[in-house]
Amino acid sequence: MLVKKAFKYRIYPNNEQQLLIQKTLGCCRFVFNHFLEQWNTTYAETGKGLSYSKCAKQLPVLKTSLEWLEEVDSTALQTAARHLADSFNRFFKKKSRAPRFKSRRNPVQSYTAKHTNGNIAIRGHEIKLPKLGWMRFANSRACEGRIISATIRRNASGKYFVSILCEVEQEPLPAAHKHIGIDLGLKEFAVCSDGLRVESPKAFRRYEKKLAFWQRRMSRRTKGGSNWHKAKMNVARIYEKIANIRQNFLQQLTTKLIRENQTISIESLDVVNMLKNTKLAKSIADSSWGEFERQLTYKAKWYGRTLKFADTFAPTSQTCHVCGYVNPKIKLLSIREWSCPSCKTSHDRDDNAAQNIKRVAI
């Protein structure tokens, strides 16, 4: 099966290359905002928006009148127009909100360049990117398959990364003949029906005090000053550290589950509504259940596994998995262990929920 995989690397551009990256980011942002304004005006006047082809046809004329657009990669400008069209398509399908104007003040900036005539290549510990030429990069893993595009990204911490999108022939894993149910939680990230318990990394909680310290220092300093920028950089680095810990934990856990199990059953959680609980919102956000589900979904598709979902409102914690008796008193989260009045079986709340998720998942 052909799948699209992204291989992310850290790059080390020199001063000239950094300047060209900044110019490309600015030009792509200008093209996006220019066509967004035209799109909104046309829609207000005619009731119809523009299409990608109409925007792409205007790009050569725009580059003729604005010579500085010629300095950057042309495929990056085309991709900016494509992203705008895709944003409107998602908006009209009610999958996202309407596109907004891009700001240069956004701490994270990126652009995407297409692969044409070998303008993206890897040679040892050097990578070739459109208009930028060769530069050092951290070759942490082998890049496989046919290269489609490269996305250059500048993080809030000032680091530069590139994601190489490739088309790869993905072979399914050998059959595992094992089915587990997984109950997600806050104290323990996951409790599996086979007895596996996975502790939550609680990345945000670990760095919460350090983050608050630098956020207070940043708020007390004059905005725009050198000391304010130092504090801001420290805040960005802490957030990046939290994101890296969380991402590493989820990647390792989902890969382990996919390799060892043929069928995985999880509970379908409405995380957006759960975040409205002001007492638990911080812990729920720190757990990243949505990202866990996303990774399991695409990895199951890649490697020939089956992912099942239990109904959000199924009483998995309240139902005895032995006899099926539903105990309404177990709604309280403080009750971690209980005995079934019908069959007298003692239950751990999370173990019992994992068994029921495995049983009722569709």
Side-chain angles (χ1 to χ4, degrees):
M1 179 177 66
L2 279 176
V3 300
K4 290 181 179 179
K5 273 188 177 182
F7 299 87
K8 185 177 178 180
Y9 307 99
R10 185 174 177 186
I11 55 176
Y12 301 91
N14 58 34
N15 293 335
E16 291 181 3
Q17 290 168 333
Q18 287 184 30
L19 181 60
L20 186 54
I21 290 174
Q22 300 297 345
K23 287 182 178 180
T24 310
L25 290 171
C27 291
C28 290
R29 187 170 57 245
F30 172 82
V31 168
F32 185 93
N33 291 342
H34 174 79
F35 287 122
L36 176 56
E37 185 178 4
Q38 280 195 7
W39 196 301
N40 292 337
T41 304
T42 306
Y43 188 81
E45 293 175 352
T46 63
K48 293 183 180 179
L50 303 174
S51 63
Y52 165 71
S53 58
K54 288 182 180 179
C55 295
K57 287 177 183 177
Q58 294 182 41
L59 268 176
V61 181
L62 193 63
K63 291 169 72 174
T64 304
S65 58
L66 302 172
E67 295 181 359
W68 42 270
L69 288 177
E70 295 280 359
E71 298 179 24
V72 303
D73 180 48
S74 59
T75 62
L77 303 181
Q78 294 169 6
T79 307
R82 170 68 72 183
H83 287 170
L84 177 62
D86 292 342
S87 298
F88 271 107
N89 288 337
R90 289 194 300 271
F91 169 66
F92 289 129
K93 291 178 182 178
K94 297 183 178 179
K95 293 183 178 180
S96 63
R97 58 185 177 185
R100 297 177 296 174
F101 290 100
K102 292 184 179 291
S103 171
R104 63 182 178 85
R105 292 184 177 85
N106 194 319
V108 179
Q109 301 279 344
S110 66
Y111 71 90
T112 301
K114 297 177 184 176
H115 176 253
T116 54
N117 300 322
N119 59 351
I120 302 172
I122 292 176
R123 181 184 65 194
H125 289 276
E126 288 185 318
I127 187 169
K128 181 184 178 184
L129 295 173
K131 288 280 188 176
L132 298 172
W134 293 96
M135 69 177 72
R136 284 194 312 117
F137 83 114
N139 195 355
S140 52
R141 59 184 299 198
C143 185
E144 306 168 0
R146 181 177 68 88
I147 297 176
I148 299 173
S149 64
T151 299
I152 293 88
R153 174 188 175 106
R154 188 198 67 209
N155 279 2
S157 60
K159 297 176 183 176
Y160 291 88
F161 294 88
V162 62
S163 292
I164 308 295
L165 182 65
C166 300
E167 197 173 50
V168 182
E169 182 67 38
Q170 186 65 60
E171 296 292 334
L173 290 170
H177 306 293
K178 187 180 176 183
H179 178 194
I180 63 165
I182 303 175
D183 178 55
L184 299 176
L186 296 177
K187 187 176 181 181
E188 291 175 308
F189 181 83
V191 176
C192 303
S193 57
D194 63 353
L196 175 66
R197 288 176 173 264
V198 182
E199 290 294 325
S200 177
K202 298 181 180 178
F204 183 82
R205 294 291 187 181
R206 284 163 59 182
Y207 288 93
E208 189 175 13
K209 289 184 178 178
K210 190 175 182 180
L211 181 63
F213 170 79
W214 282 106
Q215 284 176 331
R216 282 195 301 269
R217 297 196 79 172
M218 189 174 75
S219 67
R220 290 170 183 167
R221 291 173 177 176
T222 304
K223 188 173 182 179
S226 59
N227 287 331
W228 179 83
H229 279 291
K230 289 178 184 177
K232 184 182 178 183
M233 190 62 65
N234 280 322
V235 170
R237 285 170 182 162
I238 294 170
Y239 272 121
E240 186 178 56
K241 180 73 172 177
I242 292 169
N244 289 342
I245 292 172
R246 193 179 289 149
Q247 191 66 219
N248 182 61
F249 165 76
L250 292 174
Q251 289 286 359
Q252 290 189 10
L253 176 61
T254 51
T255 300
K256 173 183 169 67
L257 293 172
I258 289 293
R259 283 178 177 170
E260 296 177 356
N261 304 282
Q262 183 64 35
T263 305
I264 300 172
S265 299
I266 61 174
E267 194 172 6
S268 180
L269 299 174
D270 190 352
V271 180
V272 175
N273 280 333
M274 294 175 74
L275 288 171
K276 294 177 183 178
N277 185 332
T278 54
K279 293 183 179 179
L280 298 176
K282 190 182 290 186
S283 297
I284 291 171
D286 194 19
S287 297
S288 294
W289 293 334
E291 177 64 13
F292 175 75
E293 180 184 323
R294 188 191 71 85
Q295 290 186 17
L296 273 183
T297 302
Y298 78 75
K299 288 181 182 181
K301 183 179 178 181
W302 283 0
Y303 299 111
R305 301 310 199 209
T306 303
L307 184 63
K308 296 184 177 182
F309 294 91
D311 183 33
T312 307
F313 301 103
T316 53
S317 298
Q318 305 163 47
T319 305
C320 172
H321 74 271
V322 178
C323 67
Y325 174 80
V326 180
N327 190 343
K329 297 180 181 179
I330 313 303
K331 285 187 176 181
L332 294 173
L333 291 175
S334 58
I335 301 175
R336 308 312 302 173
E337 295 180 356
W338 60 285
S339 296
C340 177
S342 177
C343 65
K344 310 301 180 184
T345 305
S346 296
H347 294 299
D348 175 88
R349 180 191 185 95
D350 298 328
D351 283 332
N352 179 62
Q355 295 290 347
N356 284 322
I357 288 170
K358 176 183 176 180
R359 180 175 56 86
V360 303
I362 298 173

